[in-house]
Amino acid sequence: MILAYFRSLAARFFRRSQTENDLEEELRSHIQLRADDLERFGLGRAEAERRARIEFGGEARFKEECREAIAGNFIDVLFQDLRFSLRMLRKSPGFAVVAILTIALGIGATTAIFSVLDATLLEPLPYPQSEQLVSIQDNFPGVGAQDVGLSEPEWQDFQLSGIFEYVSPTWFDENNLTGSSQPARVRLLIVAPNYFALLGRATKIGTRFRSARSLTGVHS
Amino acid sequence: MDYQAELLPGTLDLLILKAVSIGPLHGYGVLLRIAQISGRALLIQQGALYPALFRLVRQGLLTTSWDKSENNRRAKFYELTSKGRKRLREETDGWNRLVAAIASALAAQPQET
């Protein structure tokens, strides 16, 4: 039943050019027949056809009205289709539930993916001149190793290369925070002291690092 | 030139059904037939006929087929379906009742009291 409906919908779509040709030919045949009659009254062929066309009236307008008459009023057809689909859905509630869930999941997944893409790729990062922020990744293509991380001398090399204003390593970690009444699990980002200068932002609370502490081998 | 009356809204469909009830006709033939049976008293713009024909086809009152005209031109012919025949009877009755009612209303004389 549903399949038959889709087939008729497709047919309505593809047969449009056929009905359009029919319409064209029918109106042309009318004008020819009228011109034949006028010719019989003693007009020349060209004049007869011209008169026939004038008598017919606004061809484009009538063609448009014919198309409407063939297809039915657009709103009427739309409501017919809507009523039909509601009836079909009510007839098979299982199918209706599956269809609605599929659409809901589809919309949900698409929205979620778009939100992530929008936040990570489309929206600029909330830092001044955020377009100048880049991520450096060190690969060893010879052995097929990706993102192997930087050694400290390598980091210093980048820092001194003059290519970048600031270079800071970042390292995600998790650890336990003790010393208060309740220990807590905290997530850390281990960075160089120039990290906030790199981002161009101040810390929300607390103080920034003092750069003296970035000296190699110095622990505080 | 003779006086030609404009059609009342809705009467074109009835006239088309009547015209093709006598036999299959192409669009131009429908116009000629209406002119003939109305004594050329009605004014129909030729192009206006076609939207009405397509509407009647859509309602299942007419069927169509391509054929040769009397002077050997290809033309689309319209024919009354049984549904169309029934509709013609109903509409004719309705029209006659309407005309009778209006005629009797217009014929009423003022009553002296």
Short mmCIF file of all heavy atoms in Angstrom, two decimals, chain B residues 7 10-25 29-31 33-34 37 44 49 52-63 78-93 95:
data_model
loop_
_atom_site.label_atom_id
_atom_site.label_comp_id
_atom_site.label_asym_id
_atom_site.label_seq_id
_atom_site.Cartn_x
_atom_site.Cartn_y
_atom_site.Cartn_z
N LEU B 7 -21.28 34.06 -19.63
CA LEU B 7 -21.72 32.90 -18.87
C LEU B 7 -21.80 33.22 -17.39
O LEU B 7 -20.98 33.97 -16.86
CB LEU B 7 -20.73 31.75 -19.05
CG LEU B 7 -20.82 30.97 -20.34
CD1 LEU B 7 -19.84 29.82 -20.28
CD2 LEU B 7 -22.22 30.47 -20.58
N GLY B 10 -19.86 28.88 -13.18
CA GLY B 10 -20.28 27.50 -12.91
C GLY B 10 -21.10 26.88 -14.01
O GLY B 10 -21.32 25.67 -14.01
N THR B 11 -21.57 27.69 -14.97
CA THR B 11 -22.43 27.12 -16.01
C THR B 11 -21.63 26.52 -17.15
O THR B 11 -22.16 25.70 -17.90
CB THR B 11 -23.39 28.18 -16.58
OG1 THR B 11 -22.63 29.32 -16.94
CG2 THR B 11 -24.43 28.56 -15.56
N LEU B 12 -20.35 26.91 -17.27
CA LEU B 12 -19.54 26.37 -18.37
C LEU B 12 -19.41 24.85 -18.25
O LEU B 12 -19.55 24.13 -19.24
CB LEU B 12 -18.15 27.03 -18.37
CG LEU B 12 -17.19 26.55 -19.45
CD1 LEU B 12 -17.78 26.76 -20.84
CD2 LEU B 12 -15.85 27.26 -19.35
N ASP B 13 -19.17 24.37 -17.02
CA ASP B 13 -19.04 22.92 -16.81
C ASP B 13 -20.29 22.19 -17.29
O ASP B 13 -20.21 21.17 -17.97
CB ASP B 13 -18.82 22.62 -15.31
CG ASP B 13 -17.43 23.02 -14.85
OD1 ASP B 13 -16.73 23.67 -15.65
OD2 ASP B 13 -17.05 22.66 -13.72
N LEU B 14 -21.45 22.74 -16.93
CA LEU B 14 -22.72 22.13 -17.32
C LEU B 14 -22.86 22.09 -18.84
O LEU B 14 -23.27 21.07 -19.42
CB LEU B 14 -23.86 22.92 -16.67
CG LEU B 14 -25.30 22.47 -16.96
CD1 LEU B 14 -25.48 21.01 -16.59
CD2 LEU B 14 -26.28 23.34 -16.20
N LEU B 15 -22.50 23.20 -19.50
CA LEU B 15 -22.61 23.27 -20.95
C LEU B 15 -21.67 22.27 -21.62
O LEU B 15 -22.03 21.64 -22.63
CB LEU B 15 -22.29 24.68 -21.44
CG LEU B 15 -23.39 25.71 -21.19
CD1 LEU B 15 -22.87 27.10 -21.52
CD2 LEU B 15 -24.61 25.39 -22.04
N ILE B 16 -20.46 22.11 -21.06
CA ILE B 16 -19.50 21.15 -21.64
C ILE B 16 -20.06 19.73 -21.53
O ILE B 16 -20.05 18.96 -22.49
CB ILE B 16 -18.13 21.24 -20.92
CG1 ILE B 16 -17.46 22.57 -21.22
CG2 ILE B 16 -17.24 20.10 -21.35
CD1 ILE B 16 -16.21 22.83 -20.41
N LEU B 17 -20.58 19.40 -20.34
CA LEU B 17 -21.14 18.05 -20.15
C LEU B 17 -22.27 17.79 -21.14
O LEU B 17 -22.37 16.73 -21.74
CB LEU B 17 -21.65 17.90 -18.70
CG LEU B 17 -20.59 17.88 -17.61
CD1 LEU B 17 -21.23 17.77 -16.24
CD2 LEU B 17 -19.61 16.72 -17.81
N LYS B 18 -23.11 18.82 -21.32
CA LYS B 18 -24.22 18.69 -22.26
C LYS B 18 -23.69 18.49 -23.69
O LYS B 18 -24.16 17.60 -24.42
CB LYS B 18 -25.09 19.95 -22.19
CG LYS B 18 -26.27 19.95 -23.14
CD LYS B 18 -27.28 18.88 -22.74
CE LYS B 18 -28.37 18.73 -23.79
NZ LYS B 18 -29.29 17.65 -23.43
N ALA B 19 -22.69 19.28 -24.07
CA ALA B 19 -22.17 19.22 -25.44
C ALA B 19 -21.60 17.84 -25.75
O ALA B 19 -21.88 17.26 -26.81
CB ALA B 19 -21.10 20.29 -25.64
N VAL B 20 -20.82 17.26 -24.82
CA VAL B 20 -20.19 15.97 -25.12
C VAL B 20 -21.15 14.81 -24.88
O VAL B 20 -20.86 13.67 -25.25
CB VAL B 20 -18.90 15.73 -24.32
CG1 VAL B 20 -17.84 16.73 -24.69
CG2 VAL B 20 -19.16 15.75 -22.83
N SER B 21 -22.31 15.08 -24.27
CA SER B 21 -23.27 14.00 -24.04
C SER B 21 -23.85 13.51 -25.37
O SER B 21 -24.35 12.39 -25.47
CB SER B 21 -24.40 14.47 -23.12
OG SER B 21 -25.26 15.35 -23.81
N ILE B 22 -23.76 14.36 -26.40
CA ILE B 22 -24.30 13.98 -27.70
C ILE B 22 -23.32 13.09 -28.46
O ILE B 22 -23.71 12.29 -29.30
CB ILE B 22 -24.67 15.25 -28.50
CG1 ILE B 22 -25.64 16.11 -27.65
CG2 ILE B 22 -25.30 14.92 -29.83
CD1 ILE B 22 -25.80 17.53 -28.13
N GLY B 23 -22.04 13.19 -28.15
CA GLY B 23 -21.03 12.36 -28.81
C GLY B 23 -19.65 12.90 -28.49
O GLY B 23 -19.53 14.05 -28.08
N PRO B 24 -18.57 12.11 -28.64
CA PRO B 24 -17.22 12.56 -28.34
C PRO B 24 -16.84 13.78 -29.18
O PRO B 24 -17.18 13.84 -30.36
CB PRO B 24 -16.34 11.36 -28.71
CG PRO B 24 -17.27 10.21 -28.83
CD PRO B 24 -18.61 10.74 -29.15
N LEU B 25 -16.13 14.74 -28.57
CA LEU B 25 -15.76 15.97 -29.27
C LEU B 25 -14.36 16.38 -28.85
O LEU B 25 -13.96 16.14 -27.71
CB LEU B 25 -16.70 17.11 -28.89
CG LEU B 25 -18.14 17.05 -29.38
CD1 LEU B 25 -18.94 18.14 -28.67
CD2 LEU B 25 -18.20 17.24 -30.89
N GLY B 29 -14.38 21.41 -31.05
CA GLY B 29 -15.70 20.87 -31.34
C GLY B 29 -16.70 21.18 -30.23
O GLY B 29 -17.88 21.45 -30.50
N VAL B 30 -16.22 21.15 -28.98
CA VAL B 30 -17.10 21.48 -27.85
C VAL B 30 -17.62 22.90 -28.01
O VAL B 30 -18.81 23.17 -27.84
CB VAL B 30 -16.35 21.31 -26.51
CG1 VAL B 30 -17.19 21.86 -25.36
CG2 VAL B 30 -16.01 19.85 -26.26
N LEU B 31 -16.71 23.81 -28.37
CA LEU B 31 -17.11 25.22 -28.54
C LEU B 31 -18.15 25.36 -29.66
O LEU B 31 -19.16 26.06 -29.51
CB LEU B 31 -15.89 26.08 -28.86
CG LEU B 31 -14.96 26.37 -27.69
CD1 LEU B 31 -13.73 27.09 -28.18
CD2 LEU B 31 -15.68 27.20 -26.63
N ARG B 33 -20.15 23.05 -30.77
CA ARG B 33 -21.40 22.42 -30.37
C ARG B 33 -22.20 23.33 -29.43
O ARG B 33 -23.41 23.50 -29.58
CB ARG B 33 -21.10 21.07 -29.69
CG ARG B 33 -22.28 20.29 -29.17
CD ARG B 33 -23.16 19.66 -30.25
NE ARG B 33 -22.47 18.85 -31.24
CZ ARG B 33 -22.09 17.58 -31.07
NH1 ARG B 33 -22.29 16.97 -29.93
NH2 ARG B 33 -21.52 16.93 -32.05
N ILE B 34 -21.50 23.97 -28.48
CA ILE B 34 -22.19 24.88 -27.56
C ILE B 34 -22.79 26.05 -28.34
O ILE B 34 -23.94 26.45 -28.11
CB ILE B 34 -21.24 25.39 -26.45
CG1 ILE B 34 -20.86 24.24 -25.52
CG2 ILE B 34 -21.89 26.51 -25.65
CD1 ILE B 34 -19.84 24.62 -24.46
N ILE B 37 -25.92 24.64 -30.16
CA ILE B 37 -27.12 24.31 -29.38
C ILE B 37 -27.63 25.51 -28.60
O ILE B 37 -28.78 25.52 -28.17
CB ILE B 37 -26.88 23.09 -28.44
CG1 ILE B 37 -25.76 23.37 -27.45
CG2 ILE B 37 -26.63 21.84 -29.24
CD1 ILE B 37 -25.45 22.18 -26.54
N ILE B 44 -18.13 32.57 -25.00
CA ILE B 44 -17.11 31.82 -24.25
C ILE B 44 -15.75 32.12 -24.86
O ILE B 44 -15.58 31.94 -26.08
CB ILE B 44 -17.36 30.30 -24.34
CG1 ILE B 44 -18.74 29.94 -23.80
CG2 ILE B 44 -16.27 29.54 -23.59
CD1 ILE B 44 -19.14 28.51 -24.07
N LEU B 49 -11.99 27.44 -22.12
CA LEU B 49 -12.61 26.12 -22.16
C LEU B 49 -11.69 25.05 -21.56
O LEU B 49 -12.15 24.14 -20.88
CB LEU B 49 -12.91 25.76 -23.62
CG LEU B 49 -13.49 24.38 -23.87
CD1 LEU B 49 -14.95 24.36 -23.47
CD2 LEU B 49 -13.33 24.00 -25.33
N ALA B 52 -11.43 24.23 -17.78
CA ALA B 52 -12.68 23.58 -17.37
C ALA B 52 -12.66 22.11 -17.80
O ALA B 52 -13.04 21.22 -17.02
CB ALA B 52 -13.86 24.30 -17.99
N LEU B 53 -12.21 21.84 -19.03
CA LEU B 53 -12.14 20.45 -19.51
C LEU B 53 -11.23 19.61 -18.60
O LEU B 53 -11.58 18.50 -18.21
CB LEU B 53 -11.60 20.42 -20.95
CG LEU B 53 -12.60 20.77 -22.05
CD1 LEU B 53 -11.89 20.87 -23.39
CD2 LEU B 53 -13.72 19.72 -22.13
N PHE B 54 -10.05 20.16 -18.26
CA PHE B 54 -9.11 19.40 -17.43
C PHE B 54 -9.68 19.15 -16.04
O PHE B 54 -9.46 18.09 -15.45
CB PHE B 54 -7.77 20.15 -17.34
CG PHE B 54 -6.93 20.01 -18.56
CD1 PHE B 54 -6.69 21.08 -19.40
CD2 PHE B 54 -6.39 18.77 -18.90
CE1 PHE B 54 -5.92 20.94 -20.54
CE2 PHE B 54 -5.62 18.62 -20.04
CZ PHE B 54 -5.40 19.70 -20.86
N ARG B 55 -10.43 20.14 -15.53
CA ARG B 55 -11.06 19.95 -14.21
C ARG B 55 -12.06 18.79 -14.27
O ARG B 55 -12.10 17.94 -13.38
CB ARG B 55 -11.78 21.22 -13.80
CG ARG B 55 -11.14 21.93 -12.62
CD ARG B 55 -12.00 23.01 -12.02
NE ARG B 55 -12.85 23.73 -12.95
CZ ARG B 55 -12.48 24.82 -13.63
NH1 ARG B 55 -11.26 25.28 -13.49
NH2 ARG B 55 -13.31 25.43 -14.45
N LEU B 56 -12.85 18.76 -15.34
CA LEU B 56 -13.88 17.71 -15.46
C LEU B 56 -13.22 16.34 -15.62
O LEU B 56 -13.72 15.34 -15.09
CB LEU B 56 -14.80 18.01 -16.65
CG LEU B 56 -15.67 19.26 -16.46
CD1 LEU B 56 -16.38 19.63 -17.76
CD2 LEU B 56 -16.69 19.03 -15.36
N VAL B 57 -12.08 16.29 -16.32
CA VAL B 57 -11.35 15.02 -16.46
C VAL B 57 -10.87 14.57 -15.09
O VAL B 57 -10.98 13.40 -14.72
CB VAL B 57 -10.16 15.18 -17.43
CG1 VAL B 57 -9.25 13.96 -17.36
CG2 VAL B 57 -10.65 15.40 -18.85
N ARG B 58 -10.34 15.52 -14.33
CA ARG B 58 -9.80 15.19 -13.02
C ARG B 58 -10.89 14.67 -12.08
O ARG B 58 -10.64 13.82 -11.23
CB ARG B 58 -9.15 16.43 -12.41
CG ARG B 58 -7.98 16.11 -11.49
CD ARG B 58 -7.33 17.38 -11.04
NE ARG B 58 -7.82 17.77 -9.74
CZ ARG B 58 -7.40 17.24 -8.59
NH1 ARG B 58 -6.47 16.32 -8.61
NH2 ARG B 58 -7.88 17.64 -7.45
N GLN B 59 -12.11 15.20 -12.26
CA GLN B 59 -13.21 14.75 -11.42
C GLN B 59 -13.78 13.42 -11.91
O GLN B 59 -14.73 12.90 -11.32
CB GLN B 59 -14.32 15.80 -11.39
CG GLN B 59 -13.94 17.07 -10.65
CD GLN B 59 -14.93 18.20 -10.88
OE1 GLN B 59 -16.07 17.98 -11.21
NE2 GLN B 59 -14.46 19.43 -10.72
N GLY B 60 -13.22 12.90 -13.00
CA GLY B 60 -13.68 11.61 -13.50
C GLY B 60 -14.99 11.71 -14.27
O GLY B 60 -15.67 10.71 -14.45
N LEU B 61 -15.35 12.90 -14.73
CA LEU B 61 -16.61 13.06 -15.45
C LEU B 61 -16.41 12.90 -16.96
O LEU B 61 -17.37 12.63 -17.68
CB LEU B 61 -17.21 14.44 -15.15
CG LEU B 61 -17.41 14.75 -13.66
CD1 LEU B 61 -17.95 16.15 -13.46
CD2 LEU B 61 -18.33 13.73 -13.01
N LEU B 62 -15.17 13.09 -17.41
CA LEU B 62 -14.85 12.95 -18.83
C LEU B 62 -13.65 12.02 -18.98
O LEU B 62 -12.79 11.98 -18.11
CB LEU B 62 -14.49 14.30 -19.46
CG LEU B 62 -15.54 15.43 -19.47
CD1 LEU B 62 -14.94 16.67 -20.10
CD2 LEU B 62 -16.77 14.99 -20.21
N THR B 63 -13.59 11.28 -20.11
CA THR B 63 -12.36 10.58 -20.46
C THR B 63 -11.84 11.16 -21.77
O THR B 63 -12.60 11.77 -22.52
CB THR B 63 -12.59 9.06 -20.66
OG1 THR B 63 -13.63 8.90 -21.61
CG2 THR B 63 -12.95 8.38 -19.38
N TYR B 78 -12.95 14.29 -26.12
CA TYR B 78 -13.52 14.13 -24.78
C TYR B 78 -14.83 13.37 -24.87
O TYR B 78 -15.61 13.58 -25.79
CB TYR B 78 -13.77 15.50 -24.15
CG TYR B 78 -12.49 16.23 -23.86
CD1 TYR B 78 -11.88 17.00 -24.85
CD2 TYR B 78 -11.89 16.15 -22.62
CE1 TYR B 78 -10.69 17.65 -24.60
CE2 TYR B 78 -10.71 16.81 -22.36
CZ TYR B 78 -10.11 17.56 -23.36
OH TYR B 78 -8.94 18.20 -23.10
N GLU B 79 -15.04 12.51 -23.87
CA GLU B 79 -16.23 11.67 -23.87
C GLU B 79 -16.78 11.63 -22.45
O GLU B 79 -16.02 11.66 -21.48
CB GLU B 79 -15.84 10.26 -24.33
CG GLU B 79 -16.97 9.47 -24.90
CD GLU B 79 -16.44 8.17 -25.53
OE1 GLU B 79 -15.23 8.10 -25.83
OE2 GLU B 79 -17.23 7.25 -25.70
N LEU B 80 -18.10 11.53 -22.34
CA LEU B 80 -18.74 11.51 -21.03
C LEU B 80 -18.57 10.13 -20.38
O LEU B 80 -18.75 9.11 -21.03
CB LEU B 80 -20.24 11.81 -21.22
CG LEU B 80 -20.97 12.59 -20.15
CD1 LEU B 80 -20.26 13.90 -19.87
CD2 LEU B 80 -22.40 12.84 -20.58
N THR B 81 -18.20 10.08 -19.10
CA THR B 81 -18.20 8.80 -18.38
C THR B 81 -19.59 8.61 -17.78
O THR B 81 -20.42 9.51 -17.83
CB THR B 81 -17.17 8.83 -17.24
OG1 THR B 81 -17.56 9.84 -16.31
CG2 THR B 81 -15.78 9.13 -17.76
N SER B 82 -19.81 7.43 -17.19
CA SER B 82 -21.15 7.21 -16.60
C SER B 82 -21.34 8.16 -15.41
O SER B 82 -22.44 8.65 -15.17
CB SER B 82 -21.30 5.75 -16.17
OG SER B 82 -20.27 5.39 -15.30
N LYS B 83 -20.22 8.43 -14.71
CA LYS B 83 -20.28 9.40 -13.61
C LYS B 83 -20.65 10.79 -14.15
O LYS B 83 -21.43 11.52 -13.54
CB LYS B 83 -18.92 9.44 -12.92
CG LYS B 83 -18.92 10.04 -11.54
CD LYS B 83 -17.52 9.91 -10.92
CE LYS B 83 -17.31 10.91 -9.80
NZ LYS B 83 -15.90 11.01 -9.42
N GLY B 84 -20.08 11.10 -15.34
CA GLY B 84 -20.36 12.39 -15.96
C GLY B 84 -21.82 12.49 -16.39
O GLY B 84 -22.45 13.55 -16.25
N ARG B 85 -22.34 11.37 -16.89
CA ARG B 85 -23.74 11.36 -17.33
C ARG B 85 -24.67 11.62 -16.14
O ARG B 85 -25.63 12.38 -16.23
CB ARG B 85 -24.05 10.00 -17.97
CG ARG B 85 -25.20 9.99 -18.95
CD ARG B 85 -25.19 8.73 -19.80
NE ARG B 85 -24.07 8.69 -20.76
CZ ARG B 85 -24.05 9.37 -21.91
NH1 ARG B 85 -25.07 10.14 -22.24
NH2 ARG B 85 -23.02 9.29 -22.71
N LYS B 86 -24.31 10.98 -15.02
CA LYS B 86 -25.12 11.14 -13.80
C LYS B 86 -25.06 12.61 -13.34
O LYS B 86 -26.08 13.21 -13.00
CB LYS B 86 -24.56 10.21 -12.71
CG LYS B 86 -25.36 10.17 -11.45
CD LYS B 86 -25.05 8.91 -10.62
CE LYS B 86 -25.43 9.09 -9.16
NZ LYS B 86 -24.32 9.62 -8.34
N ARG B 87 -23.83 13.16 -13.36
CA ARG B 87 -23.65 14.54 -12.93
C ARG B 87 -24.45 15.49 -13.82
O ARG B 87 -25.09 16.43 -13.34
CB ARG B 87 -22.16 14.91 -12.94
CG ARG B 87 -21.86 16.37 -12.66
CD ARG B 87 -22.08 16.75 -11.20
NE ARG B 87 -21.16 16.08 -10.31
CZ ARG B 87 -19.95 16.55 -10.01
NH1 ARG B 87 -19.54 17.68 -10.52
NH2 ARG B 87 -19.16 15.89 -9.20
N LEU B 88 -24.46 15.21 -15.13
CA LEU B 88 -25.20 16.06 -16.06
C LEU B 88 -26.68 16.07 -15.71
O LEU B 88 -27.32 17.13 -15.69
CB LEU B 88 -24.99 15.56 -17.50
CG LEU B 88 -25.85 16.24 -18.58
CD1 LEU B 88 -25.55 17.73 -18.65
CD2 LEU B 88 -25.60 15.60 -19.95
N ARG B 89 -27.21 14.87 -15.39
CA ARG B 89 -28.64 14.79 -15.01
C ARG B 89 -28.91 15.62 -13.77
O ARG B 89 -29.84 16.44 -13.74
CB ARG B 89 -29.02 13.33 -14.76
CG ARG B 89 -29.75 12.67 -15.92
CD ARG B 89 -30.49 11.41 -15.48
NE ARG B 89 -29.70 10.55 -14.62
CZ ARG B 89 -28.86 9.60 -15.06
NH1 ARG B 89 -28.69 9.42 -16.35
NH2 ARG B 89 -28.19 8.85 -14.22
N GLU B 90 -28.07 15.45 -12.73
CA GLU B 90 -28.27 16.18 -11.47
C GLU B 90 -28.20 17.68 -11.69
O GLU B 90 -29.04 18.44 -11.21
CB GLU B 90 -27.21 15.77 -10.45
CG GLU B 90 -27.35 14.35 -9.95
CD GLU B 90 -26.07 13.88 -9.23
OE1 GLU B 90 -25.12 14.69 -9.12
OE2 GLU B 90 -26.06 12.72 -8.81
N GLU B 91 -27.15 18.11 -12.44
CA GLU B 91 -26.94 19.55 -12.63
C GLU B 91 -28.07 20.15 -13.46
O GLU B 91 -28.47 21.29 -13.23
CB GLU B 91 -25.59 19.79 -13.31
CG GLU B 91 -24.42 19.30 -12.50
CD GLU B 91 -23.63 20.43 -11.86
OE1 GLU B 91 -23.49 21.49 -12.51
OE2 GLU B 91 -23.17 20.26 -10.73
N THR B 92 -28.57 19.37 -14.43
CA THR B 92 -29.67 19.86 -15.25
C THR B 92 -30.92 20.07 -14.39
O THR B 92 -31.58 21.11 -14.46
CB THR B 92 -29.98 18.86 -16.38
OG1 THR B 92 -28.78 18.59 -17.11
CG2 THR B 92 -31.03 19.42 -17.34
N ASP B 93 -31.19 19.07 -13.52
CA ASP B 93 -32.34 19.21 -12.61
C ASP B 93 -32.18 20.42 -11.71
O ASP B 93 -33.11 21.21 -11.55
CB ASP B 93 -32.49 17.94 -11.74
CG ASP B 93 -32.96 16.75 -12.57
OD1 ASP B 93 -33.36 16.99 -13.73
OD2 ASP B 93 -32.90 15.62 -12.06
N TRP B 95 -30.38 23.08 -12.18
CA TRP B 95 -30.48 24.32 -12.95
C TRP B 95 -31.95 24.64 -13.25
O TRP B 95 -32.39 25.79 -13.09
CB TRP B 95 -29.69 24.17 -14.25
CG TRP B 95 -29.85 25.33 -15.16
CD1 TRP B 95 -30.64 25.42 -16.25
CD2 TRP B 95 -29.23 26.61 -15.01
NE1 TRP B 95 -30.56 26.66 -16.81
CE2 TRP B 95 -29.70 27.42 -16.07
CE3 TRP B 95 -28.33 27.14 -14.09
CZ2 TRP B 95 -29.29 28.74 -16.23
CZ3 TRP B 95 -27.93 28.46 -14.25
CH2 TRP B 95 -28.39 29.24 -15.30
#
